[in-house]
């Protein structure tokens, strides 16, 4: 409960007193605005990671390939918990690359009061799961980031939702209906 309260309070006050005053810069210098927003949001994400590590004692062990600084990257992860993306933040913080992260989210995330505004300011991409629409959304967002020379690291959860007993049952029902294999670690 302490983590959730502190995270929500930091978000509300950060949005009001740290992000909002920078909006005029968007009209004058869009590239500078994007860089400032990316760094401010990365600082907030660092606070959230610090809370996870300090309050809950979460430890991160980094293994595997590293991400080259400044290189545009597509990150594909399994969505096992609601905190997966925070674990990625822990990795990117330690690599000094958190401010480049953009996340592809399902459109339903736009309905979260307050948080959706922050995700839009962060330039996250909201998709509908209909390729006819999503292709345009992704193209527009990625074209914008490319046009300002942003070294984007795009995070994609192919399942589109976290792995729970309820979502596993839905996935199994779909697999059964279409005679597909049932998976134990992904949907």
């Amino acid at each position: 409960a302490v983590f959730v309260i502190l995270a929500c309070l930091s978000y509300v006050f950060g949005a009001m007193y740290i992000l909002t005053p920078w909006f005029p810069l968007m009209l004058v210098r869009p590239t500078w605005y994007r860089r400032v927003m990316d760094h401010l949001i990365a600082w907030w994400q660092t606070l959230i990671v610090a809370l996870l590590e300090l309050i809950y004692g979460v430890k991160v062990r980094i293994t595997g390939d590293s991400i080259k600084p400044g290189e545009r990257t597509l990150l594909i992860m399994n969505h096992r918990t609601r905190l997966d993306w925070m674990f990625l933040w822990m990795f990117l913080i330690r690599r000094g690359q958190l401010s480049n992260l953009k996340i592809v989210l399902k459109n339903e995330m736009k309905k979260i009061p307050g948080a959706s505004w922050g995700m839009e300011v962060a330039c996250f991409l909201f998709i509908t799961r209909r390729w006819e629409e999503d292709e345009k959304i992704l193209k527009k967002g990625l074209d914008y980031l490319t046009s300002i020379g942003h070294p984007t690291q795009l995070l994609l959860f192919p399942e589109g939702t976290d792995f729970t007993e309820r979502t596993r049952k839905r996935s199994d029902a779909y697999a059964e209906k279409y005679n597909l294999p049932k998976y134990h670690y992904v949907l």
Side-chain angles (χ1 to χ4, degrees):
V2 172
F3 171 77
V4 173
I5 291 168
L6 289 173
C8 289
L9 285 174
S10 71
Y11 173 77
V12 169
F13 288 110
M16 288 182 350
Y17 298 111
I18 296 173
L19 297 181
T20 304
W22 290 95
F23 281 169
L25 186 59
M26 181 176 22
L27 303 172
V28 182
R29 295 271 192 224
T31 302
W32 291 6
Y33 169 78
R34 180 78 271 133
R35 287 191 183 128
V36 168
M37 286 299 103
D38 286 348
H39 282 85
L40 290 174
I41 289 165
W43 289 341
W44 177 80
Q45 292 166 327
T46 302
L47 168 69
I48 299 304
V49 165
L51 291 173
L52 275 176
E53 292 179 358
L54 295 172
I55 293 174
Y56 293 110
V58 173
K59 303 282 185 218
V60 175
R61 187 178 72 178
I62 300 171
T63 61
D65 299 336
S66 95
I67 300 168
K68 294 178 186 172
E71 183 175 85
R72 291 188 175 100
T73 308
L74 175 62
L75 304 165
I76 300 174
M77 292 178 57
N78 286 346
H79 204 357
R80 300 283 298 168
T81 74
R82 292 179 189 244
L83 301 178
D84 292 332
W85 38 281
M86 290 182 193
F87 299 142
L88 178 65
W89 293 354
M90 292 173 176
F91 168 77
L92 293 174
I93 287 168
R94 286 161 174 81
R95 300 284 191 226
Q97 298 171 298
L98 184 56
S99 63
N100 298 330
L101 182 65
K102 305 297 170 210
I103 304 174
V104 176
L105 303 165
K106 57 186 176 181
N107 204 46
E108 291 82 12
M109 299 295 282
K110 277 187 173 181
K111 296 176 184 169
I112 300 173
S116 62
W117 178 79
M119 290 183 267
E120 290 197 53
V121 169
C123 207
F124 292 175
L125 304 173
F126 296 90
I127 59 171
T128 63
R129 298 183 186 177
R130 288 185 296 280
W131 182 243
E132 307 78 43
E133 294 175 39
D134 294 341
E135 182 179 22
K136 293 173 193 160
I137 292 166
L138 292 170
K139 182 172 179 7
K140 182 179 177 184
L142 294 174
D143 283 351
Y144 162 71
L145 292 166
T146 300
S147 75
I148 62 170
H150 191 277
T152 307
Q153 296 166 343
L154 189 66
L155 173 59
L156 177 66
F157 292 111
E159 296 102 333
T161 191
D162 56 330
F163 190 87
T164 64
E165 186 60 28
R166 183 181 63 80
T167 58
R168 188 195 55 75
K169 286 179 182 177
R170 283 181 33 213
S171 178
D172 288 350
Y174 181 88
E176 200 168 296
K177 179 178 178 180
Y178 294 99
N179 199 27
L180 298 169
K182 294 179 184 176
Y183 296 106
H184 302 287
Y185 301 104
V186 296
L187 301 176

